[in-house]
Amino acid sequence: MINTIQLNTKYIFGKDVVTQHLQEELSSRKIKTIMLVYGGGSIKKNGLYQEIINVCKKSKVKVIEHSGIEPNPRDVGIYQASITARKNKVQLIIAAGGGSVIDACKVIGILATNPQYKNAWDYVVNQSKVVKPSIPLFSIVTLAATGSESNAGSVITNAKTHYKRGTNVPSGRPIVAFEDPKYTLTLSWWQTACGIFDIFSHLCESYFDVNQTFEWTKQYILANMRVLVDCAKILKKNNQDYDARANLLWTSSWALNDLNAFHTNGGDWTTHKLEHAVSGLWDVPHGAGLALLTPNYLKYMCKHNKTFIKYCLEIGKDVFKVNTLEQFFKSLISFIKLLGLPQKFTDFDVIKSVSNKDIEWLVNHFCSIMKYPKNGFKFKLAKFVFESVR
C-alpha cells in the first residue's frame, strides 16, 4: 500500500510563465550551461523556442541544442544526447515539448552522469548500476497528455527490436515544470484527443487499484475524470477554448503525480503494458493505442474479476451518469468516438493489415516484458484484447 508521497516538482502555471520566471529559476541555481531538448520543431512554430533563447541570452547562459526526439523516443538518439551533455558539462536540461521529450530527457540526464552505461537500453532494463543522480531537469510542457513533468517515470523504445518498456529513477523527476496553456492552442484535434485519452487511462488505471475504504483517493480520481470529460466536450466544439485548455493541462499533471496512487497498491497498468507492444511495433500515438485497447481489456476483466465490475459501475455512475455495466461500456465507447480515436487496428493509417504473426509478436512482447508465462491468464487476456481489435 502506497502511503508515502514526496512531491519534488515546482509547478509554475499560467500565461507567459517562461518569459516571467525562467530567468529567475536559472539564476537562483547559478546555471551557466543548459541543454535544450525538443522534438520535431513545433516549439519554433509556437514561439516557445525563441522565448527560451531570449531568456538564456539575457541570463548569459550557454545553450546546447538537441532536437529530433521521436514521439516514441528511441534509445539510440537518447544515448547520443547524453554523450553531448557530458562532453559539454551541461548543468541543467530543459525539456521543451510533450511527454516523449520529457521522458527522453530523464534518461539523458541519468546516462550523462553515469558513464558506466554504454548504451541507453542497458539502463532501461537495469537501473541497479546507477550511482550518481541525474542532471537536474526543467520541463516546459506543450501537450496535455502523459503528465511526465510530474513523476520520475519514462518509457523508451529499442530502435532495433521495437521493444518498449518503462523505467523509473527518482532523481529523474523534473525539479521545475513550466505550464503555459497558450502553447497547447496550436495542437490539432487529433493530438488533443490522444492526450485526453492518455490522461483518462492514467486515472482509470489508478482507480482500478484504489483501496475502497479510502474515500479521498477515489474522489480525487473521479473529480479529475469529470473535469477531463467536460473539457473534452468543450474542446470538441472549440479547440481554441483557453480555459478548457488550461484545465486540461492541469488535469494532465495531477493525473499521474503520485497523489493518484495514494493508499493504493500502485494501480493496474496492464492496458499501458499492452499498448506499449502496439506503439513499439507500429509507432502509433500512445493515447490512441490506449483508446483502442481499453474497452476490450475492461470487458475481459469484468468477466473474470467482480471487483472490476464494481469499479466500472462507480466510474459510470459518477463520471458518465449511468447505472449499468452495459451503459458504462456504451458511454466509454461514445467518449472514444467523440474523440475520434480508433476502435480497430486498421483505423490507424500506418496499419494496413494485421497478420497472425503480428498478433503473436504483440502477445509475446507483452508477456516477455512483464515476465508472464505462456498460456497463463495474462497471456490469454492479451490474445483476446489484440484479436478483438483486429
Side-chain angles (χ1 to χ4, degrees):
M1 197 65 66
I2 299 175
N3 294 319
T4 301
I5 290 179
Q6 185 172 344
L7 302 178
N8 293 329
T9 303
K10 177 180 181 179
Y11 298 92
I12 306 176
F13 187 95
K15 287 183 178 179
D16 302 321
V17 291
V18 173
T19 54
Q20 293 177 10
H21 297 283
L22 178 56
Q23 183 177 6
E24 172 190 344
E25 296 298 329
L26 292 172
S27 299
S28 66
R29 293 171 175 81
K30 299 180 180 180
I31 300 297
K32 297 301 180 183
T33 304
I34 69 156
M35 174 177 271
L36 174 60
V37 182
Y38 53 98
S42 62
I43 66 168
K44 292 185 177 181
K45 297 177 182 178
N46 63 21
L48 174 57
Y49 174 85
Q50 197 58 51
E51 287 186 27
I52 296 170
I53 295 300
N54 290 343
V55 170
C56 288
K57 284 182 179 178
K58 189 175 181 180
S59 305
K60 297 181 180 179
V61 171
K62 182 180 179 181
V63 179
I64 308 298
E65 292 189 34
H66 183 86
S67 61
I69 297 296
E70 305 95 338
N72 291 299
R74 307 296 199 276
D75 57 334
V76 177
I78 287 171
Y79 185 69
Q80 291 171 344
S82 72
I83 294 174
T84 301
R86 190 186 309 143
K87 286 182 177 178
N88 287 275
K89 298 180 180 179
V90 168
Q91 297 170 283
L92 176 81
I93 297 173
I94 295 182
S100 294
V101 173
I102 303 171
D103 278 14
C105 286
K106 292 173 184 177
V107 181
I108 292 168
I110 287 286
L111 293 175
T113 57
N114 290 272
Q116 64 273 23
Y117 287 105
K118 302 308 178 184
N119 62 72
W121 195 249
D122 282 350
Y123 160 73
V124 171
V125 299
N126 180 15
Q127 295 93 58
S128 66
K129 294 190 291 183
V130 173
V131 294
K132 293 184 179 180
S134 171
I135 294 174
L137 173 62
F138 284 4
S139 60
I140 304 177
V141 189
T142 62
L143 174 65
T146 70
S148 189
E149 68 277 3
S150 296
N151 56 70
S154 57
V155 180
I156 307 300
T157 302
N158 186 303
K160 289 184 178 180
T161 66
H162 299 286
Y163 268 42
K164 185 175 180 180
R165 61 184 294 165
T167 182
N168 189 301
V169 170
S171 67
R173 181 178 183 136
I175 56 176
V176 181
F178 297 86
E179 300 192 42
D180 186 339
K182 75 180 181 184
Y183 298 128
T184 69
L185 291 170
T186 57
L187 297 171
S188 68
W189 173 248
W190 170 255
Q191 292 171 306
T192 303
C194 290
I196 288 171
F197 202 88
D198 197 356
I199 302 166
F200 184 82
S201 183
H202 292 162
L203 293 166
C204 261
E205 297 201 65
S206 298
Y207 196 84
F208 293 142
D209 200 19
V210 72
N211 186 326
Q212 290 291 300
T213 65
F214 196 71
E215 196 65 22
W216 188 89
T217 304
K218 287 178 60 177
Q219 295 304 322
Y220 172 87
I221 294 170
L222 292 170
N224 276 280
M225 279 188 180
R226 291 195 301 270
V227 171
L228 179 67
V229 171
D230 288 345
C231 287
K233 293 175 181 177
I234 293 169
L235 290 170
K236 180 65 175 179
K237 294 179 180 178
N238 177 13
N239 204 24
Q240 297 294 302
D241 190 296
Y242 179 86
D243 289 336
R245 286 280 181 187
N247 278 280
L248 181 63
L249 184 59
W250 197 232
T251 302
S252 173
S253 290
W254 291 87
L256 197 59
N257 69 342
D258 297 336
L259 287 173
N260 59 296
F262 189 70
H263 212 61
T264 74
N265 289 314
D268 172 70
W269 297 98
T270 308
T271 312
H272 266 67
K273 306 303 181 185
L274 290 165
E275 196 288 324
H276 289 167
V278 176
S279 53
L281 182 59
W282 286 299
D283 203 25
V284 300
H286 180 53
L290 290 168
L292 173 75
L293 303 176
T294 295
N296 286 298
Y297 169 70
L298 292 181
K299 287 176 182 178
Y300 190 90
M301 291 304 297
C302 283
K303 288 181 179 179
H304 294 86
N305 187 332
K306 292 182 179 179
T307 306
F308 269 76
I309 297 176
K310 184 176 188 297
Y311 290 149
C312 289
L313 287 172
E314 289 173 350
I315 295 172
K317 184 176 181 180
D318 194 278
V319 178
F320 295 117
K321 311 305 179 187
V322 297
N323 296 309
T324 69
L325 191 62
E326 182 182 2
Q327 289 171 335
F328 164 77
F329 280 110
K330 284 184 178 180
S331 297
L332 177 60
I333 292 170
S334 293
F335 181 53
I336 292 169
K337 288 181 178 179
L338 171 76
L339 297 174
L341 296 179
Q343 293 182 275
K344 58 182 184 295
F345 281 124
T346 51
D347 287 342
F348 289 104
D349 291 339
V350 296
I351 305 177
K352 303 302 181 184
S353 62
V354 179
S355 67
N356 291 336
K357 187 176 180 181
D358 292 330
I359 296 294
E360 182 181 2
W361 190 94
L362 294 170
V363 173
N364 287 338
H365 177 287
F366 170 73
C367 290
S368 62
I369 290 292
M370 300 307 296
K371 298 181 180 179
Y372 293 132
K374 191 169 183 179
N375 294 323
F377 176 79
K378 293 285 185 160
F379 175 88
K380 294 175 183 177
L381 178 153
K383 192 168 180 59
F384 169 83
V385 172
F386 294 134
E387 287 283 9
S388 296
V389 293
R390 193 173 177 176

